[in-house]
Amino acid sequence: MKLPGRRAGASAGKDAASRVPPSVRGLNYSNSPLLVSRTPVGRSKLLVALVGLGFCVLLGRAAYVQVIGASFYLKQGEIRYAHTLTLPASRGRILDRNGQLMASSVPAPSLWVIPKDFDASPASRRELATLLGMKAQALENRLDDSPNFIWLGRQVDDHVAKDALALGLPGLHRLGEFRRKYPEGEAAAHVVGFTDVESRGQEGIELAFQRDLVGRNGTRHVIKDRLGRVIEDIGDSMAPVDGRDIQLSIDSKLQFFAYRRLREAVSENKARAGSVVVLDAQSGEVLALANYPSYAPSDRRNLTGEQLRNRALTDTFEPGSTMKPFIIGLALETGRVTPETIIQTAPGRITITGSTISDAHPHDALTVNEVIQKSSNVGTVKIAMQMQPREMWELYTAIGLGQKPQIEFPGVVGGRLRPYKTWRPIEQATMSYGYGLSASLFQLAHAYTVFAHDGELIPVTLLKPADRPDHTRVAGMRVLSPQTAQAVRHMLQLAAGPGGTGPKAQTIGYSVGGKSGTAYKQEGKGYASGSVKKYRSWFVGMAPINDPRIIVAVMVDEPTAGKYYGGEVAAPVFSEVVQQTLRVLNVSPDIEVRAQIQAQPLAAVEESF
């Protein structure tokens, strides 16, 4: 018996088999070697192990980045978008005693570029180079130095920066900075000094008070995009703290006049250089300190050492006859002589241990007053040889010789003063009239405060004291008695008057006193020789003579126009500086003007040196 259902099923199976492709119908899967063979267990384990190891490596790396090295990667990410901008502090001003500007900082933008982002046509590059004052090729060479950052112009004029940015060149940026301005220019260059492009003091007051003037820069934390543009501020900013102002004792008017008159004297006498120092004889404040040749602090191209040197403080020389008043003062103080004691100077020379010392012109018997008035070497030596070397050394030390002046200024020198135990008799003799030791012009001016301040050596300063009124009389160290100082002042008045070596120091309306000096200039271990001898000429004095208000010291180096005596070369500068200074200080004249105008010019006595 046939079942209908089974037949139907068989028919369906046949129909399905008929639909399978012939190639597949003949394949027996159970007999395939690929499917029948078993995969090696070791290979499977290796594959699983490699997958697991890779997973562990990725997991470890993720743990290192997210946990162990998180701070490093956060910092690296922050570096790429967060920046700290410096907010420059304005450098402190330098003022004269009356508040006039001698140095100040003004805004001066700087231009910088990212060369790899700098995209400009050749025409735009040429225009940019012209604005910056450089050749096109020089600009290209600078851009090739680094792909990341290049300064194109430091502290340029504001209009230059604006015109450069107006070109719209990608990669060109501006940074706000400050540039120093020096209104007094050459006249005060050696006092004020200058800074470099980073506002660091290099000379003068700018260097001496760098810490006070520089201030403290501020900071600003920002986010920048890849083109260097600020997107937003982050965190707190710290405002800059500007530098402290420095007020000097210098009077800019007196400084300018002293410099101008010194420049004229150097030119008239065809000299190499010169210096002037003006001190307040009551307070010890430096009112003027000028040197020539000088330089412009704002333009130091082709600057030489001759221009840069502050000669009044850094150059030392044998002070010559300017030391004679100190020897006479010591002799008066110890009672060895009086102003009227007679000293026999004939025949105008004296021999000590085989060496002869002479006067420029022979004199007969001279009083001690006349020894200073005529600047007699013989008279001074005869008085000095009555003393012990130690006495002279102690006096010279007391007035500051051989020691650096206590003044806040770079490059100050102390000169030379050998120990008295090494002095030979001839050296003691020559030191009495200024040979065998050395000092700067500033030291000489300071030493003369002993005579101007009634026997006291007063401290000197370049800063205006904030705790006392102008020109306040200060106390100093006692060196001589007031009576001795007044007696020496009278001698200095005679030396600057008729019959003295410095009558050209006379000033209309004011009594003056001072001592001229002339010396052969040292070269190496000896003195300049040959057909043309070299000299230094100077004059140091004070006015008014009865109650001195100022001390003025003048030095002219290597005058070659025919005159070389201090009374001929330096005294006229002293005269004009004294007159101008006392007028500016509103000091009343102490002598009658009419009598001076009617008097004839006085001839100077040639001093011995």
Side-chain angles (χ1 to χ4, degrees), residues 163-182:
D163 291 345
L165 293 174
L167 297 176
L169 305 179
L172 180 63
H173 305 275
R174 166 180 174 152
L175 175 66
E177 291 191 301
F178 293 94
R179 179 174 59 195
R180 293 298 264 181
K181 288 287 189 180
Y182 301 97

Side-chain angles (χ1 to χ4, degrees), residues 17-59:
S18 63
R19 292 195 295 267
V20 177
S23 59
V24 177
R25 287 200 303 266
L27 181 62
N28 189 347
Y29 285 95
S30 62
N31 295 331
S32 172
L34 292 176
L35 297 178
V36 171
S37 64
R38 300 179 62 184
T39 303
V41 176
R43 183 184 299 175
S44 300
K45 291 181 177 180
L46 177 62
L47 291 174
V48 173
L50 289 176
V51 172
L53 179 62
F55 178 77
C56 291
V57 170
L58 293 175
L59 183 63

Side-chain angles (χ1 to χ4, degrees), residues 189-443:
H190 291 103
V191 175
V192 177
F194 56 87
T195 64
D196 62 11
V197 72
E198 300 293 344
S199 290
R200 293 186 294 257
Q202 301 296 298
E203 290 288 342
I205 296 297
E206 294 277 31
L207 174 59
F209 293 90
Q210 166 68 11
R211 289 186 178 181
D212 299 287
L213 290 165
V214 71
R216 186 178 70 245
N217 290 336
T219 55
R220 177 189 175 196
H221 304 286
V222 300
I223 294 176
K224 286 186 177 182
D225 65 9
R226 63 175 296 274
L227 298 179
R229 295 173 299 191
V230 174
I231 303 301
E232 64 174 316
D233 289 296
I234 56 176
D236 295 328
S237 298
M238 184 174 68
V241 178
D242 292 340
R244 182 170 68 88
D245 292 345
I246 299 297
Q247 187 165 22
L248 304 181
S249 60
I250 297 291
D251 187 308
S252 57
K253 293 180 181 178
L254 300 180
Q255 178 74 20
F256 175 76
F257 181 83
Y259 173 76
R260 186 181 66 180
R261 185 61 188 90
L262 177 66
R263 182 179 60 190
E264 293 171 354
V266 170
S267 177
E268 291 168 4
N269 292 282
K270 299 180 181 178
R272 180 181 178 183
S275 300
V276 173
V277 177
V278 182
L279 297 181
D280 189 311
Q282 297 182 3
S283 66
E285 297 171 50
V286 182
L287 300 178
L289 194 157
N291 296 276
Y292 185 83
S294 186
Y295 63 94
S298 298
D299 183 9
R300 300 184 298 278
R301 290 173 294 182
N302 304 318
L303 184 63
T304 65
E306 288 286 302
Q307 297 170 284
L308 187 62
R309 202 161 73 241
N310 190 333
R311 299 171 184 272
L313 291 167
T314 63
D315 286 17
T316 61
F317 51 85
E318 292 179 310
S321 296
T322 56
M323 300 310 298
K324 292 175 182 176
F326 294 101
I327 296 300
I328 300 303
L330 180 58
L332 294 172
E333 188 76 5
T334 56
R336 289 184 171 93
V337 298
T338 68
E340 301 303 326
T341 299
I342 301 297
I343 306 296
Q344 182 54 256
T345 65
R349 60 184 180 273
I350 184 173
T351 301
I352 298 178
T353 62
S355 299
T356 301
I357 296 170
S358 304
D359 283 339
H361 299 284
H363 303 287
D364 290 326
L366 297 176
T367 65
V368 172
N369 281 335
E370 292 172 328
V371 167
I372 294 298
Q373 181 185 30
K374 307 297 182 183
S375 192
S376 171
N377 286 346
V378 174
T380 304
V381 168
K382 283 191 171 184
I383 294 173
M385 297 310 288
Q386 300 176 31
M387 306 173 185
Q388 295 297 319
R390 179 175 180 175
E391 293 179 84
M392 290 176 53
W393 181 86
E394 288 178 343
L395 173 67
Y396 286 170
T397 300
I399 62 177
L401 301 186
Q403 308 160 62
K404 287 186 178 181
Q406 298 301 306
I407 186 171
E408 296 183 84
F409 202 88
V412 177
V413 296
R416 179 173 59 92
L417 178 63
R418 293 189 296 108
Y420 65 89
K421 291 182 179 180
T422 66
W423 294 5
R424 295 176 296 160
I426 184 60
E427 291 174 326
Q428 179 182 352
T430 58
M431 285 187 186
S432 69
Y433 59 93
Y435 282 87
L437 66 157
S438 65
S440 67
L441 186 69
F442 189 87
Q443 284 179 295

Side-chain angles (χ1 to χ4, degrees), residues 472-493:
T472 300
R473 188 176 180 86
V474 299
M477 182 185 70
R478 176 66 60 188
V479 177
L480 301 173
S481 67
Q483 294 77 17
T484 298
Q486 292 165 12
V488 175
R489 284 209 303 267
H490 176 66
M491 298 177 192
L492 295 176
Q493 185 177 18

